[in-house]
Amino acid sequence: MKIQIRFNEEGALRNQRYAFTDRFTLVTELLQNARRAGAHHITVEHRPEDRVLRVMDDGCGVEDFQKLLSFHESGWDEGLAGQEHPFGVGFTKCLYAAARIVAASRRQQVDIDTAAALQRESFDVTTTRRVVNGTAIELHGVEISDLAKQMETLCEGFPVDVVFNGTPMVRRYAEDKIALSPTPIGAIHVSGNRDGKATYATLVFLQGFCVHRPRYFQADSVNVVHLDPQQFMARLPDRDQLIDADQQLKRVDAQIKQSWRSILEVAKTQLKPQDFVATYFDVMLQWQHQDLLNDLDELPATLFQCISGYPFQTHYGQQGFLEPATVAPSRADIESGQVTLVSMGAVSEENAAHWMLARQKQWLLTEAYRLDSNHWLHPHVHYPDLETAVVEPQGETARITLEGRWVWPQVVLCESVRYPHWRARGHPRG
């Protein structure tokens, strides 16, 4: 016994209607066909009350009308087919979304009853007196009443001018509307490249349509990527999601990180060190390029805090006794010991004495862990929490246990206290 692949044409035609994700695929496929035909201008007219949708373009037109009703057979030339990998099923969405299709191009026209077409009936292509420069597709019996609300979003990355019901679409993320830089995976716009206001949010487009949209993002603060269609494939038939999206989006993130690296390296040569640090430190943190600070004397002020009030134990990380430093200490002051830098955990029973000493000595709290591990600052940062503070009361007058709510501290009344040394793990300090 031998077996082989068999194809149930009737079942395929019947079930193809369920292959498309949503009703708007009808519009994006018609726009895509117009773009591939070399159109520079597309007009979309929608009359929801009459259930009519009309799409007209100024592209090269339809040469072989049979291709409109041929499943999985692309009518595009070899060059475009090799670059964009058309599936040959996009126009078939019209067969399931409309009751009637009227297609006209150059001096030819065909009028298709979609129910009859799905029963494999044939239709005459007729010659017309009126010349259609490009292609006009008119669909009757279409149910997409909310198209007007979605049209701008559908076209936001599309590279061809589109007019919908007389209104030009903004296409704010299209390749001809936004500053892009070429990269190995496609063209990229990195948000915040001038002011350092970076974001992880990224819109990803393939052949003009969005294949990845972050759940939350600000319209004027988002990275934009137009992928190279020769390297990336989208899911058949809608092309609304990348194949192996989890792996491909990692490639996108890696490229944005590399693009930021290039931007930062250029900015470092063009800006004063203090301006470079102030503008781009958050970017370096976000995209892990802190090593660019290793050879600079300047430090970001956001690394430092002053103990301005009485340290006490708080809940939920609230530390109202701390204030951000207005300026960062200089490298000279740090290395000479004029400024002492410490890093401590939240105030607790174990380290309260360290906090009190730091306040008295006006030491600066620093978050050196945010810098690269090879940064010159690290050897100058002290970590009191690794040590045991020895506190000696001077001029003691009374000692008593305070009975509080869930705490029973010993209270010593004295004239002053003395820290003779810290018993460190190996390094006593005075």
Side-chain angles (χ1 to χ4, degrees), residues 82-141:
Q83 182 177 3
E84 298 199 1
H85 313 290
F87 296 134
V89 296
F91 187 80
T92 62
K93 172 68 174 176
C94 299
L95 295 173
Y96 302 101
R100 177 188 173 208
I101 304 170
V102 180
S105 181
R106 304 173 184 175
R107 286 187 177 276
Q108 292 186 307
Q109 176 176 300
V110 64
D111 194 329
I112 302 171
D113 181 305
T114 59
L118 292 172
Q119 294 298 318
R120 308 288 300 277
E121 293 186 18
S122 60
F123 301 89
D124 292 327
V125 178
T126 60
T127 301
T128 62
R129 293 183 178 180
R130 185 172 66 90
V131 177
V132 175
N133 295 318
T135 304
I137 305 292
E138 187 172 278
L139 306 178
H140 297 260

Side-chain angles (χ1 to χ4, degrees), residues 143-187:
E143 293 287 355
I144 43 174
S145 58
D146 51 348
L147 177 59
K149 297 179 181 179
Q150 285 293 119
M151 197 64 192
E152 191 67 72
T153 300
L154 295 176
C155 296
E156 62 186 351
F158 197 63
V160 181
D161 285 335
V162 178
V163 174
F164 176 71
N165 285 350
T167 301
M169 299 292 95
V170 176
R171 303 184 300 112
R172 67 180 301 164
Y173 303 122
E175 294 184 70
D176 59 327
K177 297 287 187 177
I178 194 169
L180 295 163
S181 299
T183 75
I185 67 167

